[in-house]
Amino acid sequence: MFSSIQNTILLNWKKVSFRRRLLLVMTFSGLFKLLILSIAIFAYLINSEEQDSGKNALGIAKYLAKDRDIITAILQQDPTLIKEKIEYLRTSIDATFIVVGDIKGLRIAHPLDQRIGKKMKGNDNDKALKQGLSYISVAEGSLGKSVRGKTPVIDTQGNIIGVVSVGYLLTSIENKAIHFLLFLVVMVILVVLTNAVVSGFTAKKFQNAIFGFEPEEFGRLYTELKVTLSTIKEGVISIDAKGNLKSINRSACEIFKVDAKDVLNKKMSVVFPGNNLSDILLTKTSEYDVELMIHGQAVVANRQVLIVDGNVAGAVSSFRLKDEITELTKRLAQVREYSDLLRSQTHEHRNKLNTISGLIHLGKNKEVLELIGQETQHYQHLIQFLREAISEPMVAGVLLGKSERAKELGLQLEIDQGSQLLKLPKHIRAEDLITILGNFIDNSFDACISDNNNKSVKKVLVSISDFGNEIIIEVEDNGCGLPKDIVQKKLLKQGISSKSANNRGVGLHLVNQIVNRYHGQLTMDSVADKGTIMTVYLPKKHSKDTDNATI
């Protein structure tokens, strides 16, 4: 039953908005704290009043115990000697009572005349009458519970002959404190109202800071974001406005081989030297596809500035290893080469089949056999040459595919008969040669097609040589040449292209990266409207720095 009620309360509580919840919690918590504080202050005040009243009462009692009239009245058992004096003094100090008793505890003086001569009440006279002590006590007397100061009366011979008791009723002390309690209650109400206003403002400010989300929703979004960042392959890091690293996901830790707890909340420039991510906090300019060397790793990064209320709050950077991107680009190039080969062969064979079909219908069997023989002879000759001169199958496949593509485009692709590529050195990958050849030949095709001059034959000449200490790849065309308005060095940068189409400006950039990695050389010789010669020299000798080439 209790569990069901508790669950119902929790369910309804969660339905209440955060602002109201915070308002209720802060109001009631403030009220509870103030009530406890008020009770504690009230108890302390009463105790303090009791102590002060007791000290005052004891002081008056000691003064009266030395009065000659008091001593005489006790010895003569005559209350009339001190009645007026005692009453005047009691009203002057606002005491509840002043009682004088003899050695037997019988009253000699009392505020009520009918109680004179009777036994003093409270059972707290022994310390004064028997031990001669002065003290403060709290006891129930004939007038009620009171705090009293008691002291013995001693005659001239030093004998204890009686006791003086001065007291204040506890009810009168509480009445004094009640005024303060009323003031305290008023202050509590004012503080609670103020607390409610402040808590409402704070709740609104806090909720605006978390974009109006409830705390539970914001917590769920944070958890989702944390899980998302941990599952994506890209590395993600963020810094605050002071350049301190505030977050790093699992992929970034794996890429840089660091532990998150060792780098969080530290200066980004100290943890990852050379990243210059903090620079965009000053420039306020986001950057994309930036190549960096961070913590010994070559990466390609995108960096975005965080702007909150018009102010720079930090920056976020996502990145991937450059080698991964390069590898993906190479694989894509290989797939594209294979696709071009299949498309070219399909198109060419379809044309040949249509021609053969037409000749058969016309009864030209002799011409059919000649056509088949010519096509077979040319194709077999090319395959035989590539098989003998080019030992790397992937390179031979690209040349064969580009040959078919040239026919489809109405161009002529010639492979230098002196070309030779035997076994590749271990440090040179065939995929890199494919990237170089593919980009050079494609660019030559585009240059030939773009050439507006009426040349009899638009052709591309490919030469591959592994004689000597270098592998030399040369592609020559008689197309339009390189553009005059773009410096050749700029063509090697990513995004710079002589073509107007989108997704250009990548090929020569990749070629240049490969050449730099092998510490080779790239040359471009071009004459407008006459053609271009692209040449790459790759050293056969392996360099120790090849695998660690920087950007």
Side-chain angles (χ1 to χ4, degrees):
M1 179 67 179
F2 176 76
S3 177
S4 177
I5 295 175
Q6 186 180 26
N7 292 334
T8 302
I9 294 174
L10 289 175
L11 183 61
N12 292 331
W13 175 253
K14 289 182 178 179
K15 293 181 179 179
V16 180
S17 68
F18 168 73
R19 187 175 179 183
R20 291 183 178 179
R21 275 186 281 169
L22 184 60
L23 180 62
L24 291 172
V25 169
M26 292 187 68
T27 300
F28 282 106
S29 64
L31 178 61
F32 181 70
K33 293 174 184 177
L34 286 172
L35 286 176
I36 293 177
L37 183 62
S38 300
I39 294 171
I41 292 175
F42 185 67
Y44 172 79
L45 183 62
I46 291 179
N47 181 69
S48 179
E49 283 290 329
E50 288 180 2
Q51 294 293 327
D52 290 342
S53 298
K55 290 179 181 179
N56 291 334
L58 183 60
I60 297 299
K62 288 181 178 180
Y63 169 76
L64 291 175
K66 297 178 181 180
D67 190 277
R68 291 184 177 273
D69 293 336
I70 298 293
I71 296 173
T72 302
I74 293 174
L75 292 174
Q76 296 181 6
Q77 295 288 307
D78 187 357
T80 58
L81 297 176
I82 56 174
K83 180 179 178 181
E84 291 183 2
K85 186 175 185 177
I86 292 293
E87 187 61 23
Y88 175 78
L89 183 61
R90 184 187 70 80
T91 55
S92 299
I93 64 174
D94 199 25
T96 303
F97 60 84
I98 298 178
V99 177
V100 178
D102 59 13
I103 191 65
K104 297 179 180 179
L106 300 176
R107 299 186 183 99
I108 302 297
H110 192 277
L112 300 178
D113 293 341
Q114 62 271 26
R115 296 183 181 178
I116 295 176
K118 295 182 179 179
K119 186 75 173 179
M120 296 175 66
K121 292 186 177 181
N123 298 321
D124 57 347
N125 289 331
D126 290 346
K127 289 183 180 181
L129 295 176
K130 296 181 180 180
Q131 301 177 27
L133 300 176
S134 299
Y135 53 93
I136 298 172
S137 69
V138 177
E140 184 78 30
S142 60
L143 297 177
K145 194 172 185 180
S146 59
V147 56
R148 50 185 74 179
K150 290 182 176 288
T151 188
V153 180
I154 301 174
D155 61 11
T156 55
Q157 285 77 32
N159 299 317
I160 298 175
I161 60 173
V163 61
V164 175
S165 178
V166 180
Y168 295 87
L169 287 177
L170 293 182
T171 54
S172 63
I173 296 175
E174 292 173 356
N175 288 335
K176 290 181 181 179
I178 202 69
H179 299 290
F180 175 77
L181 182 61
L182 293 175
F183 171 77
L184 196 61
V185 169
V186 173
M187 293 305 298
V188 166
I189 295 173
L190 290 176
V191 170
V192 169
L193 292 176
T194 304
N195 190 48
V197 174
V198 172
S199 61
F201 175 78
T202 303
K204 184 178 180 180
K205 191 78 174 177
F206 178 77
Q207 200 158 20
N208 289 337
I210 58 176
F211 306 102
F213 287 104
E214 293 295 321
E216 292 81 4
E217 295 176 324
F218 193 78
R220 179 178 56 80
L221 289 175
Y222 175 77
T223 303
E224 290 178 357
L225 176 62
K226 191 173 181 180
V227 173
T228 301
L229 289 177
S230 66
T231 55
I232 62 177
K233 191 173 183 180
E234 288 77 9
V236 180
I237 57 177
S238 67
I239 61 174
D240 60 15
K242 296 181 180 178
N244 297 318
L245 184 66
K246 303 307 293 182
S247 67
I248 179 170
N249 72 339
R250 184 174 60 187
S251 295
C253 291
E254 292 175 353
I255 291 173
F256 297 139
K257 297 178 177 58
V258 297
D259 195 339
K261 64 182 180 181
D262 296 331
V263 297
L264 286 176
N265 299 315
K266 294 182 179 179
K267 284 289 184 181
M268 182 71 176
S269 57
V270 176
V271 177
F272 300 123
N275 69 89
N276 70 355
L277 178 59
S278 302
D279 293 349
I280 68 173
L281 298 176
L282 300 176
T283 62
K284 299 181 182 180
T285 303
S286 300
E287 300 175 345
Y288 302 96
D289 297 329
V290 181
E291 297 180 6
L292 300 169
M293 180 66 72
I294 303 178
H295 216 257
Q297 297 289 344
V299 299
V300 178
N302 296 318
R303 310 192 295 182
Q304 179 75 39
V305 183
L306 292 178
I307 305 294
V308 178
D309 296 331
N311 299 318
V312 176
V316 177
S317 176
S318 63
F319 49 86
R320 292 193 68 176
L321 286 173
K322 185 181 176 184
D323 290 343
E324 292 182 4
I325 298 176
T326 303
E327 187 64 28
L328 289 174
T329 304
K330 291 175 182 176
R331 290 183 181 179
L332 180 60
Q334 294 173 21
V335 172
R336 188 180 66 179
E337 297 295 339
Y338 184 68
S339 175
D340 290 342
L341 174 60
L342 292 178
R343 186 177 67 252
S344 300
Q345 289 180 340
T346 301
H347 185 271
E348 186 68 18
H349 290 164
R350 184 184 297 115
N351 291 335
K352 294 293 188 295
L353 289 174
N354 290 334
T355 302
I356 292 172
S357 176
L359 291 173
I360 291 174
H361 280 89
L362 293 173
K364 304 291 185 180
N365 296 333
K366 182 179 179 181
E367 285 79 358
V368 170
L369 293 175
E370 289 179 356
L371 178 61
I372 294 174
Q374 291 175 0
E375 187 65 24
T376 303
Q377 183 179 2
H378 171 75
Y379 199 72
Q380 290 298 326
H381 175 74
L382 178 60
I383 292 177
Q384 183 65 26
F385 170 74
L386 292 176
R387 184 180 298 170
E388 294 176 355
I390 308 297
S391 299
E392 178 54 53
M394 296 178 67
V395 176
V398 168
L399 293 175
L400 183 61
K402 293 301 181 183
S403 178
E404 296 296 329
R405 177 61 176 164
K407 291 181 181 180
E408 181 183 351
L409 296 174
L411 305 175
Q412 181 178 334
L413 176 65
E414 295 182 1
I415 301 175
D416 188 359
Q417 295 300 308
S419 295
Q420 175 181 291
L421 181 63
L422 301 179
K423 186 177 181 181
L424 289 174
K426 292 183 179 180
H427 72 284
I428 296 181
R429 299 189 302 176
E431 294 88 342
D432 293 333
L433 299 186
I434 292 173
T435 300
I436 296 172
L437 273 172
N439 281 289
F440 281 178
I441 295 174
D442 285 343
N443 288 339
S444 295
F445 286 170
D446 291 335
C448 291
I449 294 172
S450 301
D451 187 14
N452 296 322
N453 295 327
N454 295 323
K455 297 176 181 178
S456 57
V457 178
K458 294 182 179 181
K459 64 180 180 179
V460 177
L461 177 61
V462 178
S463 174
I464 303 176
S465 172
D466 63 353
F467 297 104
N469 297 324
E470 296 176 319
I471 294 177
I472 303 174
I473 300 175
E474 184 176 274
V475 178
E476 180 182 356
D477 65 70
N478 61 349
C480 61
L482 296 177
K484 296 180 179 180
D485 56 339
I486 301 178
V487 180
Q488 290 186 3
K489 288 185 177 180
K490 285 188 177 181
L491 290 172
L492 303 179
K493 295 183 178 180
Q494 185 173 3
I496 304 298
S497 175
S498 60
K499 311 172 189 71
S500 59
N502 294 329
N503 299 323
R504 298 287 187 157
V506 178
L508 287 180
H509 174 71
L510 290 176
V511 170
N512 187 53
Q513 285 184 329
I514 294 171
V515 172
N516 289 336
R517 188 182 310 130
Y518 291 115
H519 296 279
Q521 184 180 358
L522 168 63
T523 62
M524 294 182 287
D525 295 322
S526 177
V527 178
D529 299 327
K530 290 187 178 181
T532 303
I533 300 177
M534 306 290 292
T535 309
V536 164
Y537 304 87
L538 299 179
K540 289 183 179 180
K541 186 178 180 181
H542 176 58
S543 173
K544 293 182 179 178
D545 298 328
T546 299
D547 297 330
N548 299 318
T550 58
I551 297 173

